[in-house]
Amino acid sequence: MKNSLVYIVRALVVGLILVSQAVAQESIDENQTVEEQNITVQELVNQEVIKPVIGAVEQVRVIPGNVILDARIDTGATTSSLGVDEMEVLHEDGQDWVQITINGHTSKHKVVKFIKIKQHRKASIPRPVIRLRMILGDVSESVDVTLADRSNFKYKLLIGRNFLYERFVVDVSLKYTQMPKLYEEQ
């Protein structure tokens, strides 16, 4: 049932894409059929160019540590954000580093940059940004992640557009559609 639902959703998405392509095409030769103008839905499905459909909440594997966290999928967030249990910013050899602890696993990372988070009626807070590998389903990518205190939030991990873009289709009516593949740290 779940696989057939996913297939139907994928076919609908592809159909919408094909319709929008046909509408956007400036000059259509009236003698051509739609199939001659565009790739068919079945060809797209057969070629597996369909992006995986994910829900509003998914399990994501975070590397290093090989920790699996429930993550809120947020298409409105530019950058992914990770709630850490402990964080210490270090200055070594003229560079900024951060030592973090997530679910009992401690690791050290080079700080890519600091960003300022604006808060309503409060001073801006600088947050370190590090690069982490995250795995959702079969997709494994290294992306920038802001580090934050997310203890007041239900989900420790928020997945933003920098991880989602061109990789997934989000259906907010679903949850836990993908299991993160295994990853062996080198």
Side-chain angles (χ1 to χ4, degrees), residues 78-95:
T78 302
T79 308
S80 300
S81 181
L82 175 64
V84 294
D85 301 326
E86 295 178 28
M87 175 173 55
E88 181 181 0
V89 177
L90 310 167
H91 306 285
E92 297 177 359
D93 299 325
Q95 295 184 347

Side-chain angles (χ1 to χ4, degrees), residues 65 67 85-86 100-107 156:
V67 178
D85 301 326
E86 295 178 28
I100 60 173
T101 302
I102 308 165
N103 290 3
H105 179 79
T106 301
S107 57
K156 192 177 272 194

Side-chain angles (χ1 to χ4, degrees), residues 25-160:
Q25 191 173 9
E26 290 180 27
S27 62
I28 297 176
D29 182 353
E30 293 181 13
N31 296 326
Q32 284 184 323
T33 65
V34 172
E35 287 79 17
E36 292 170 334
Q37 296 170 34
N38 297 300
I39 189 168
T40 66
V41 172
Q42 191 59 47
E43 287 173 325
L44 285 173
V45 171
N46 289 343
Q47 293 175 11
E48 296 186 26
V49 294
I50 305 294
K51 298 170 189 154
V53 176
I54 60 172
V57 178
E58 294 291 343
Q59 288 192 327
V60 177
R61 186 179 303 273
V62 178
I63 308 298
N66 226 351
V67 178
I68 296 178
L69 300 172
D70 285 347
R72 179 77 173 155
I73 307 303
D74 187 352
T75 60
T78 302
T79 308
S80 300
S81 181
L82 175 64
V84 294
D85 301 326
E86 295 178 28
M87 175 173 55
E88 181 181 0
V89 177
L90 310 167
H91 306 285
E92 297 177 359
D93 299 325
Q95 295 184 347
D96 292 319
W97 295 81
V98 65
Q99 184 168 312
I100 60 173
T101 302
I102 308 165
N103 290 3
H105 179 79
T106 301
S107 57
K108 186 175 168 182
H109 306 271
K110 184 177 179 180
V111 174
V112 174
K113 62 184 175 183
F114 285 91
I115 60 169
K116 289 188 178 181
I117 302 298
K118 296 178 186 176
Q119 293 183 318
H120 184 65
R121 297 185 183 181
K122 293 183 182 177
S124 296
I125 299 173
R127 286 192 188 160
V129 177
I130 62 173
R131 195 146 186 87
L132 286 179
R133 175 165 301 281
M134 294 191 295
I135 303 169
L136 174 51
D138 290 333
V139 176
S140 175
E141 290 292 329
S142 291
V143 294
D144 289 349
V145 178
T146 62
L147 301 177
D149 175 9
R150 293 186 57 84
S151 58
N152 293 333
F153 294 93
K154 184 173 180 178
Y155 300 101
K156 192 177 272 194
L157 181 59
L158 182 137
I159 300 297

